[in-house]
Amino acid sequence: MQALILAGGEGTRLRPLTTSVPKPVIPLAGRPFLTFMIDWLASHGVDQVILSCGFLAEGVEAVLGERHGDVALRYVNEREPLGTGGPVKLAEGEGLLEDRFLVLNGDVLTDIDVGAELALHERSGARVTLALAEVEETASYGVVPTAADGQVEAFLEKQEGPVPTNRINAGCYIVEREALSLIDAGRPASLERDLFPRLVGDGLYGYLADGYWMDIGTPERYLQGTWDLLAGDPPSDLPARDESGSLVYEPTITAGAQIGPQAVIGPHCSVGSDARIERSVLHSDVSVGPDAVVLESVLATGVRVGQGARIEAQTIVGQGARIGPGAQLPPGSRIEPGAEVD
Ligand code: GDD
Ligand code: MG
């Protein structure tokens, strides 16, 4: 089975993490994000993945290379952003797509049962089947009401106000290639706004998935996805967590520091004595001085935090930034890559 992963968006909501590193390969629990998706797909029989890249395209290929486990990786890089539909059409134009394939948003952490989705797709004779997830807040998603037999009744992308259901598009589609005839080649197109609405009543089905599902494309959800992986749901083959539920990669120096609960410390980090790292993520080569406190925040590669600094919840510190001794970052701070904060 073949899968195309949409991996070319700008990841604006995750800036400054995504200013220099493309969202699909930012480290999650210490591993390039897409490796979780590829492992999940492989467990459902996917053996070939096409990565559709645009923004910082070279960055994705540089990290993932030609193969992950048993899965062969190919790249289709677009010269201008083609949205979510244009890239699929581009891959078709290059003769890369089989008669039936999967399309995935490149930011979903999930253990959806693709085999069950495929069984419904075959039973219903669908042209496209969308996996659906149930969420509390629907506004940032595509809302998808369905009939009892799974037929999609409407596709409502990012609707304000009342919606008919809390079932949303989970970004995991089974597509018959012939359905792409509804998209024009050579220009940007949106699956959500151009293709799916046109397929309503004409072969578009929804499969209500259970299990874990999370779009990791905002800081809140990136952190939540991290904590969920640390807790073991969704399942993964991450190394064992310590007694505080944290993951500390070697080589790293944390003697005398309080790490956890639920922290991820990437390789080549150092955390000084009596510093506290709670429910936070340090990418690689981060140093945190003695007595500093980091709460529910993300420090990108190469960040330096001075002695006694305090970083409050939901802060993102971009690559290589320096936070001076005793500095205080209020909740929700965003520090640009390379910035210096006294
Ligand atoms: N190649 C390429 N080119 N990929 C792109 C482009 C582009 O121009 N624009 C976006 N993408 C990729 C992103 O990298 C991401 O993996 C995927 O397409 C979806 O884009 P997002 O920006 O993450 O969309 P969203 O989260 O706001 O909404 C989408 O996902 C929701 C579920 O998480 C929609 O599909 C919603 O309907 C859905 O509910
Ligand atoms: Mg998204």
Side-chain angles (χ1 to χ4, degrees):
M1 184 89 178
Q2 183 183 49
L4 181 149
I5 302 182
L6 293 164
E10 287 192 44
T12 47
R13 289 161 291 184
L14 269 181
R15 283 181 196 151
L17 288 183
T18 46
T19 310
S20 49
V21 181
K23 174 165 74 170
V25 293
I26 56 170
L28 185 71
R31 273 172 44 181
F33 171 69
L34 273 186
T35 62
F36 292 101
M37 284 192 70
I38 298 169
D39 286 347
W40 155 66
L41 292 169
S43 76
H44 291 286
V46 169
D47 56 2
Q48 191 202 118
V49 166
I50 299 169
L51 290 154
S52 162
C53 303
F55 181 69
L56 299 176
E58 329 65 54
V60 180
E61 189 162 359
V63 171
L64 296 178
E66 290 177 3
R67 171 162 290 279
H68 176 74
D70 292 334
V71 179
L73 309 178
R74 306 185 64 141
Y75 296 83
V76 178
N77 296 345
E78 62 212 41
R79 265 173 277 139
E80 51 154 344
L82 291 175
T84 51
V88 189
K89 202 66 189 169
L90 181 64
E92 181 194 31
E94 293 191 9
L96 297 178
L97 297 180
E98 292 164 3
D99 290 346
R100 176 185 292 164
F101 51 91
L102 292 165
V103 175
L104 293 306
N105 284 347
D107 58 0
V108 291
L109 178 64
T110 187
D111 59 1
I112 285 175
D113 183 349
V114 179
E117 183 179 357
L118 189 57
L120 174 75
H121 181 81
E122 289 187 333
R123 220 167 39 240
S124 63
R127 300 170 80 188
V128 174
T129 299
L130 315 174
L132 308 180
E134 291 183 319
V135 296
E136 280 168 26
E137 261 303 321
T138 60
S140 54
Y141 302 110
V143 172
V144 188
T146 53
D149 67 351
Q151 274 214 63
V152 170
E153 295 174 321
F155 192 97
L156 309 167
E157 181 69 6
K158 306 204 171 89
Q159 294 269 311
E160 302 280 333
V163 286
T165 174
N166 66 340
R167 295 181 180 182
I168 57 104
N169 168 27
C172 173
Y173 323 127
I174 297 168
V175 179
E176 298 296 316
R177 196 182 61 214
E178 61 74 21
L180 302 181
S181 61
L182 296 173
I183 308 179
D184 292 336
R187 54 179 153 112
S190 160
L191 293 175
E192 296 85 346
R193 297 182 195 275
D194 301 323
L195 181 63
F196 299 154
R198 293 181 65 182
L199 282 173
V200 169
D202 195 14
L204 187 63
Y205 282 73
Y207 159 76
L208 179 60
D210 50 16
Y212 186 91
W213 183 84
M214 176 82 64
D215 172 330
I216 57 99
T218 68
E220 298 72 24
R221 299 196 301 243
Y222 172 89
L223 281 166
Q224 189 61 54
T226 302
W227 300 327
D228 293 340
L229 277 168
L230 291 175
D233 179 26
S236 70
D237 59 1
L238 285 171
R241 274 66 84 191
D242 67 17
E243 61 288 348
S244 79
S246 301
L247 194 48
V248 178
Y249 287 89
E250 299 296 339
T252 274
I253 303 166
T254 58
Q258 182 198 311
I259 307 293
Q262 293 168 295
V264 177
I265 313 291
H268 305 286
C269 289
S270 77
V271 182
S273 58
D274 295 316
R276 241 185 336 132
I277 313 287
E278 284 182 16
R279 290 165 63 82
S280 291
V281 178
L282 276 49
H283 292 171
S284 53
D285 298 288
V286 173
S287 97
V288 176
D291 303 314
V293 176
V294 182
L295 304 172
E296 298 194 6
S297 292
V298 184
L299 311 185
T301 297
V303 166
R304 301 270 172 279
V305 177
Q307 175 162 13
R310 190 175 170 95
I311 298 179
E312 300 279 354
Q314 303 289 338
T315 288
I316 310 272
V317 183
Q319 203 166 321
R322 283 164 199 272
I323 311 302
Q328 309 257 339
L329 297 185
S333 299
R334 300 282 177 270
I335 308 299
E336 287 305 307
E340 305 212 358
V341 181
D342 293 331

